[in-house]
Every structure is written in structure tokens, then in C-alpha cells.
Amino acid sequence: MIGQDLRSFLQAYEQTHSDEVWHIYNEVDADYTITAYTLASEKSGLAPLLIFEKVKGYAIPIVTNVFGSRRRIAFLLGEEKQMAAHWARVTATLIKPTMISTGPIKEVIWTKDRVDLGKLPILRHFEQDAGRYITSGVVVAKDPDNNVRNLSFHRLQVKGERRLGVSLHSRGHLWDYFRRSEEAGKPLEVAVVIGAHPAVLLAAASKVDMDTDEYDIAGALLGEPLQLVPCETVGLEVPAYAEIVLEGRILPQIREPEGPFGEYTGYATGRSTENVLEVESIMMRRHPIYLDVCPGFSSDHLLLGRVQKEAAVWQKMREVLPDVKAIYYPKSGTHFHAYIALAKKFEGQPRQAALLLLGLDPYVKLIVVVDEDIDLNNEEEMMWALATRMQADRDVSILSGVMCNLLDPSSTGGMSAKMIIDATASLDMGVVKCTVPQAVMARVQSDIGERLGQTGER
Ligand code: MN
């Protein structure tokens, strides 16, 4: 891996994928325009990485949609085909970070009266949002009892020059850290990293056990120890090559309205733990880049934790059912739909596989199981499997009243119905799929690939 910062990743990616990096030189508004660019360019099928060089009223450029395509995440991980398996293999050996005394992040330090969040180009993303939100902020904290470090994402609403609203959602590790420090009557120290190497963000988006320091996962993804520096005003460590870092405290016994905010479902939600984060100091590089993750129903948002989740469930399911060949969460289903490819040996195996996944991931409410000749990544092939291998009265199962994710707007009381569709061919179906010889197909595919390469189309 070349370098440990966002900018070296951007450079390396642009060198090899120049058509997938768009520099926008005309002046843009921080409100809505950047979200519109991200959503509209994703619809074009290209999902480029977007660099806004001139943002009205700010001296700092904005980068967004870093995670907007699987191909970009594959480039980052160095593996195109079997991303989930690759992730599982690479993160099996964690690499601890190393401390260095100082780094580029300390080039500029604002303390006391100089602290002003209004100087950062923090965006308003959607019309329904309560205000401007930091969406790419990796919140670093330590367990108040045993000092184990945690990295996680939380939406951060600007409330003043040094005040942020924060939701410690999903009752994750940070929520638990804060719960215990509030019980002891103390604020929880945090650092918010804005703009680090994308490996740090992928690590922060992983759902791992409470004893695992997500910096160790970042190291495993980078293939080398992540270099950290100590913070200025809190007892925490942050990446030496980060772009911007906020330091502060989540205040005990204080709750203030926060939200609504455009969530991954594509709907605005006011669900929030309504906590308050007071910023004490801000560090940044000399010419920092502000990183945004487009919230709402965008690939940038949805793909951030996707590879890790697919890897985790793939690994667990393979222990029980080695005939499971692939798992895929399609973007169209937000986090609620999953596709499984199975090398079916017995009838009933597809339902067993689906029930296993329902047990592992409470977010999922629709599972389609297909044979391994179907490309899970291709929704036309998925629909073809449904059209030709599935009979609704025989192959659809519905379970009522199972725990689900609270953000599903169609659910009630934290529960939803789960649907399993077995779209595998019956073992005795006795029909033959049309094919052309493998060698011919391979030859033609390589010719088509070359033609597309020549015209720059895809
Ligand atoms: Mn954790």
C-alpha cells in the first residue's frame, strides 16, 4: 500500500482509474449540490469519486463518494473477485498500530477561541435534515473500564461553533462506553477523524467484538501498522496522516434534540440518543481535504460496511454449510435483502441456508437462494431464476414477528416478517439450460472487453 493517507489513495486511484475521478472546478454550494452530484452520477452507472475544488464560502475542498462503487473498494483491498473471502483472510491476522511523536495532522492546531466548526465545509445533504451534518467522522474513544479503543461512525449535527449533536445509535460499543462513563458522572473523551485512508473507515464500519481495536483491522487492511499520534486535549490517539481531527467530550446528563437525518433506508428519521459533543480543539493538515460520505440511500453509505458484513456472515455460514458459495447484499435492498448462491445437494438445503442467515443478521428480511450458476450481482439473472425455477406456493416461506432493524419504516414494534424464496432448480426439474461452449464464450468475452476498453465505455 502506498502511503497511509486519503490523498495518497486518491492519487493512486486516479492514476489507474482517471475516468472514475471527477474534479469539479466550478464553484458549488455546500447545501444539497454535492449530494445531488453523488446521487445523479451514481444513477449514470459510473459512481465516480468526486472532488469539489471550490466550495462557496470555504477554503477547503470536499471529496465524496470514495466508497460509492464495489470496484473502488476492490481496488483498495487489492482483490476484485472474492472480496468477502479476501476480507476474512486478510483480517484473520490483525496488525497493531505504532505511535509516532508527531505527524502532518499537527500542522495546524486550533484551541480555545479559534475553535470554529463554521470554518469547515460541513454539508447540508437533504431537505429533510435538521441541519449540517458531518457524515464521515470516525469517532475514537476508549472503554472507561479497560481502555480498549473503539472506532465507530456516528452522525454529527452542527449546533454551534464548538457544539455537535450526536446519536450513539445501534447501542454499539460507543453507546456502552458512554453509558458507563455517564453512570460514573464523567464526560466521555472522543476524537473525530475526518478524512483518513479509506482502510481506516472500512475498519471503523466493521462490526467486531468489543475487545477488538478497529485500528488493528485498519493495519491488517493496509498490510502495515497504522501510524498514530497522541491528541492535544484528550487521552486518545489518531492517524498521523489524517486530514482533520476534532477533539472533545460527550457530555453526561445532557440531551438535546438531534435529527431528523436522511438514513440508509432513503427516509429521514428522528430516532436519536440525542447526545451532545463539545469540541475542545481541532487539528488539521496545512491544506486539508474535507471527506464527506453521502448519507441516505446511496452506495457511498451502504457499501461502507458491506464487504465486512458479507465476509462475517459468509465465514460463519461456511462453517455450517460449506455448499454456500457466495453471499451478496444488493444495493436495492438497503441492508434488508440478501442473495445466497448454493451448490445444492439436497432439497430443503436452500431454506436451511436462509434460516441460518436470518439468525445471523437481524437486518435481513428477504432472502433469495439461487444455484451457483446465477450471478448474485446481476439482478436480471436473479429475476430470471425467480421466473424459471420458483413456484410461489411451494418455494416461498414467511415467518412473522422476528426482530428487525428499527429503521425499517414498514416494521412495527421492532419486528418484521421474514421472507425466504427458494429460487434454486428442483433436483428433478429435468430441463436443460442453453449454453455455448466455454472456450468460445471466453474468447468472445475477451474480444468484447477489448472493444469496450478501446472506446472507454463500459
Ligand atoms: Mn468496537
Side-chain angles (χ1 to χ4, degrees):
M1 191 54 68
I2 339 101
Q4 291 198 351
D5 46 10
L6 174 62
R7 48 187 84 186
S8 52
F9 172 80
L10 295 176
Q11 212 169 30
Y13 190 71
E14 191 161 11
Q15 268 167 18
T16 47
H17 301 75
S18 58
D19 56 332
E20 290 180 31
V21 179
W22 293 3
H23 290 268
I24 317 283
Y25 292 103
N26 47 311
E27 190 177 75
V28 296
D29 212 302
D31 289 356
Y32 312 126
T33 315
I34 287 162
T35 314
Y37 263 101
T38 310
L39 297 178
S41 65
E42 185 181 337
K43 281 219 162 135
S44 77
L46 190 58
L49 200 158
L50 297 165
I51 304 174
F52 297 89
E53 305 283 358
K54 261 175 85 180
V55 183
K56 198 174 165 188
Y58 300 98
I60 300 174
I62 296 178
V63 169
T64 194
N65 215 25
V66 168
F67 302 97
S69 90
R70 280 187 184 255
R71 295 214 306 155
R72 195 140 55 239
I73 296 173
F75 169 81
L76 170 68
L77 298 175
E79 166 69 40
E80 189 95 37
K81 296 265 174 284
Q82 293 278 334
M83 277 209 283
H86 176 77
W87 179 289
R89 200 164 48 241
V90 167
T91 59
T93 313
L94 299 178
I95 300 178
K96 294 213 160 298
T98 48
M99 286 300 296
I100 56 176
S101 57
T102 190
I105 184 60
K106 303 232 175 192
E107 283 169 355
V108 177
I109 298 172
W110 294 348
T111 53
K112 303 201 170 72
D113 291 348
R114 292 196 64 202
V115 174
D116 183 2
L117 293 167
K119 295 207 176 84
L120 301 178
I122 304 170
L123 318 186
R124 182 187 287 269
H125 295 89
F126 294 107
E127 295 172 85
Q128 295 74 20
D129 288 352
R132 297 191 296 139
Y133 272 89
I134 299 169
T135 52
S136 72
V138 172
V139 180
V140 185
K142 278 182 183 167
D143 189 310
D145 295 316
N146 62 17
N147 270 344
V148 172
R149 211 159 26 207
N150 188 67
L151 310 186
S152 50
F153 283 99
H154 302 274
R155 64 192 207 214
L156 297 154
Q157 181 190 349
V158 179
K159 297 231 170 161
E161 288 182 356
R162 49 202 312 153
R163 199 172 182 88
L164 293 163
V166 58
S167 181
L168 309 181
H169 49 245
S170 307
R171 313 232 149 180
H173 298 169
L174 187 68
W175 176 83
D176 196 60
Y177 287 9
F178 177 72
R179 179 185 64 81
R180 283 182 274 132
S181 81
E182 187 174 51
E183 258 169 32
K186 287 188 199 146
L188 182 71
E189 291 191 337
V190 292
V192 179
V193 179
I194 303 170
H197 190 284
V200 176
L201 282 89
L202 290 174
S206 327
K207 296 268 184 296
V208 289
D209 63 85
M210 199 126 174
D211 298 328
T212 303
D213 180 345
E214 284 85 359
Y215 278 143
D216 300 0
I217 300 172
L221 296 176
L222 287 166
E224 62 184 32
L226 183 67
Q227 296 187 321
L228 304 179
V229 292
C231 285
E232 292 289 312
T233 55
V234 291
L236 294 165
E237 303 76 28
V238 290
Y241 294 89
E243 297 292 334
I244 301 169
V245 169
L246 318 178
E247 300 178 13
R249 287 163 184 82
I250 302 176
L251 307 177
Q253 311 305 339
I254 294 180
R255 300 292 187 277
E256 279 176 8
E258 181 277 322
F261 174 74
E263 269 297 348
Y264 68 85
T265 52
Y267 297 90
T269 171
R271 293 191 64 86
S272 176
T273 60
E274 305 195 320
N275 295 93
V276 174
L277 195 167
E278 197 172 64
V279 179
E280 179 75 30
S281 62
I282 300 179
M283 315 195 266
M284 67 186 79
R285 293 175 73 150
R286 205 163 285 119
H287 296 288
I289 302 168
Y290 181 86
L291 177 67
D292 176 63
V293 170
C294 182
F297 178 58
S298 72
S299 288
D300 199 20
H301 190 187
L302 289 163
L303 289 178
L304 195 45
R306 193 76 107 208
V307 179
Q308 182 274 333
K309 186 185 246 192
E310 285 172 0
V313 293
W314 185 83
Q315 235 180 336
K316 285 181 187 136
M317 287 185 65
R318 292 267 300 181
E319 283 171 23
V320 181
L321 272 175
D323 294 328
V324 168
K325 296 300 172 191
I327 295 175
Y328 183 78
Y329 286 71
K331 192 223 163 180
S332 56
T334 81
H335 293 313
F336 303 153
H337 294 176
Y339 302 155
I340 299 173
L342 185 71
K344 183 167 89 168
K345 296 205 178 71
F346 310 100
E347 296 299 351
Q349 237 182 352
R351 274 197 196 92
Q352 189 197 359
L355 287 167
L356 192 53
L357 180 54
L358 287 177
L360 291 170
D361 184 357
Y363 281 65
V364 173
K365 63 187 234 199
L366 167 64
I367 298 176
V368 184
V369 187
V370 294
D371 298 295
E372 55 175 333
D373 64 324
I374 302 295
D375 180 0
L376 302 184
N377 198 355
N378 183 328
E379 287 195 324
E380 188 175 281
E381 282 192 35
M382 291 299 296
M383 287 295 137
W384 177 74
L386 289 183
T388 62
R389 299 177 185 181
M390 188 269 295
Q391 284 296 312
D393 57 353
R394 180 191 66 196
D395 297 322
V396 176
S397 320
I398 296 170
L399 291 163
S400 303
V402 188
M403 192 176 117
C404 73
N405 182 260
L406 292 166
L407 290 186
D408 174 359
S410 66
S411 68
T412 37
M415 291 186 292
S416 74
K418 310 280 178 169
M419 175 155 69
I420 298 169
I421 302 178
D422 175 359
T424 60
S426 325
L427 292 170
D428 59 0
M429 195 163 87
V431 289
V432 180
K433 188 178 166 182
C434 310
T435 57
V436 293
Q438 262 286 297
V440 175
M441 185 54 91
R443 217 162 44 233
V444 169
Q445 271 171 341
S446 103
D447 178 49
I448 291 176
E450 264 171 46
R451 284 164 187 271
L452 290 178
Q454 277 163 12
T455 57
E457 286 166 18
R458 61 201 66 244

